[in-house]
Every structure is written in structure tokens, then in C-alpha cells.
Amino acid sequence: MKVEEIVKILDAEILTSGHDPGLEIMHACGSDLMSDVMAYVEENVLLLTGLVSPQVIRTAEMMDIRVICFVRGKNVTPSVIDMARERGITLLVTRHPMFIACGMLYSAGLRGKGVRD
Amino acid sequence: MNYVLPVGDFLMAGEASSNVKKILNQLGIPPRIVKRTAVAMYEAELNAVIHAYGGRAEVEITKDFIVVEVIDDGPGIPDIELAMTEGYSTAPDEIREMGFGAGMGLPNIKRNADEFSIESEVGKGTRVRIVVYFNR
């Protein structure tokens, strides 16, 4: 699924300019617990989260996660956006809460593979 | 290479791991190996910042492997076996509220490293040693 499609499905806003519109996302992971993201996510995924701290960007950086979507219309600080841009990470924000956002993407065909059992 | 880990500045933790990841990428190390190294070092770096209010990281890169040692002068770990148990954590609430401290750190370092050792003395500090081979 292309990032553009995810943006459309979630009615999301793109916070980082210069992202790769053709980037294909195969799987997704919804979590507010970065410890779990680092322990269980195996393949490059879209990360959906309600956390907006710089450590979310760090976690994505270490895990080779290229796209993050903040849920519940979170306010993201300019410094977090800059940090993501410097690392080539695309940031999205949707007003939908976590459960709904995950459900919408799942219904559209995204799956949770790439996550260790 | 030596890095000073920020004293009690959780939001800044990860700079050293980020730097090492960039170097390994520049050296052309396979992405899966780079990711394992970065995750292991980042977890160790976070531990030092969360539990020991800082510390240092010593990194050695050869053509075949990388050695990362994260050393702190913090409170030490009284029971290492317990600390290695998934889900066991002594992280404070403010760290948990930021999405960490779920008791996955040390087991995750071990899982990502080819060699892992930890030495700790209560009141003195902790030393975590991680080795990752590039061609295995």
C-alpha cells in the first residue's frame, strides 16, 4: 500500500515535506509502547502511535521504520518533525483514534505480518 | 570511539547509537546487521540514561565485528537473572509514560547480539558488552 493511499484512507495530514510518495508499506503496527516495537517488530512497517516524543523518532530510526502516523490528532512539535525529516522518516497525523485507524487500514488490506509472535 | 551518554536527559538518549548506525551504513554493512547492532546499543544506552543517569559507550569496529560496551557508575543491578526476565522492570513511571520501561530491554539486547555479557556491582555500576559479527 502506498503512503498516498494510507493518507487518503486515514484522512491524514503529511507533516514532513519531501517524502517519497511511491514508498510501499506492506505491514503495520499500532503501539504506544516503544519497548514492544523494538522487541517484536521485525520488518519495516507503518507505525501507528499516540506517543509524540523524540524517542518515537529514535525508535523508528533504529528499527528502519520509514513512516509513522500519529493518531487522535496529536500535536507534534516542530523539533520532532525536524528530527524525522533529517532521518528521512515520513510523519502523518490522523484525527482518528488508534483502534479506528488500525481498523480502517486492516479493512483496506494492510496486515500485521512482520511482527514476532 | 568513545561517547558520553547524557546525564538524566532521556529525550537526548540515542545520539551515540544513531551515530554508530550511520557509520555502519557508510561502511556498507548489511542492513539487518546494522539494525541489530543499533537496537542493541540503543537499548543499552537507554538503560544507562534511565537507571544510572548517564554513562559512557566505548565502540570498536574491526572488519569482521563491532564491540559496544556501555558502562555506567549507577546503582548497579542486585539480581541480574531477575533483570534479564522479560517484563521485569524497575523503570520509574515517567519513563513508562514515554513508552519505555516494559522490561524488554536486556532480553532484547541479548536477542540482537551475537555475544552478550553483563557485569554489575551494587553501588558501583554496570557494564554491558555487545558483540555483533558482520558476516554470520
Side-chain angles (χ1 to χ4, degrees):
Chain A
M1 187 180 284
K2 292 209 166 24
V3 172
E4 303 287 274
E5 208 178 329
I6 291 169
V7 168
K8 214 167 150 187
I9 292 166
L10 296 178
D11 191 19
E13 184 191 339
I14 302 171
L15 300 176
T16 43
S17 55
H19 72 285
D20 174 6
L23 182 63
E24 279 282 343
I25 294 292
M26 305 305 285
H27 310 293
C29 163
S31 181
D32 286 352
L33 201 46
M34 295 302 112
S35 294
D36 275 357
V37 172
M38 281 199 289
Y40 295 113
V41 174
E42 287 205 312
E43 291 174 26
N44 306 354
V45 296
L46 160 71
L47 171 64
L48 294 115
T49 184
L51 270 188
V52 288
S53 84
Q55 294 304 348
V56 174
I57 310 296
R58 283 262 187 251
T59 300
E61 178 187 5
M62 303 306 160
M63 296 296 293
D64 295 331
I65 291 172
R66 306 271 308 275
V67 188
I68 302 169
C69 182
F70 298 110
V71 297
R72 275 182 278 121
K74 289 276 179 174
N75 281 322
V76 187
T77 61
S79 64
V80 167
I81 295 173
D82 286 346
M83 215 176 143
R85 195 180 288 123
E86 283 164 15
R87 288 158 178 79
I89 295 168
T90 299
L91 294 186
L92 314 176
V93 63
T94 177
R95 65 187 163 77
H96 295 295
M98 176 74 93
F99 180 73
I100 304 291
C102 290
M104 290 167 109
L105 293 173
Y106 192 91
S107 301
L110 261 194
R111 291 293 180 263
K113 281 181 191 165
V115 177
R116 210 192 322 262
D117 288 331
Chain B
M1 293 174 290
N2 292 307
Y3 298 92
V4 175
L5 306 180
V7 179
D9 189 351
F10 179 72
L11 294 181
M12 283 307 294
E15 280 290 329
S17 308
S18 173
N19 190 272
V20 167
K21 188 173 191 218
K22 274 186 206 126
I23 292 168
L24 293 180
N25 278 328
Q26 281 164 5
L27 290 173
I29 306 300
R32 272 194 93 81
I33 307 267
V34 174
K35 183 172 158 183
R36 277 173 46 214
T37 309
V39 168
M41 180 171 174
Y42 180 49
E43 292 270 25
E45 198 181 337
L46 283 170
N47 275 347
V49 173
I50 292 169
H51 298 286
Y53 315 107
R56 64 184 197 279
E58 295 176 2
V59 179
E60 185 195 351
I61 300 174
T62 73
K63 71 178 183 40
D64 296 317
F65 58 85
I66 176 169
V67 183
V68 177
E69 287 196 81
V70 176
I71 303 141
D72 68 61
D73 304 317
I77 304 169
D79 186 339
I80 289 178
E81 202 182 328
L82 184 60
M84 290 297 302
T85 311
E86 282 196 6
Y88 178 81
S89 174
T90 58
D93 285 349
E94 64 261 31
I95 298 297
R96 292 171 195 254
E97 282 160 16
M98 283 192 280
F100 294 88
M104 305 302 291
L106 286 176
N108 205 26
I109 296 172
K110 193 177 177 185
R111 188 184 299 124
N112 281 289
D114 289 315
E115 288 173 25
F116 164 83
S117 64
I118 180 166
E119 292 165 24
S120 189
E121 198 176 329
V122 173
K124 288 264 173 81
T126 300
R127 174 186 287 258
V128 170
R129 186 171 186 272
I130 300 156
V131 183
V132 178
Y133 292 93
F134 299 146
N135 300 309
R136 277 194 188 172

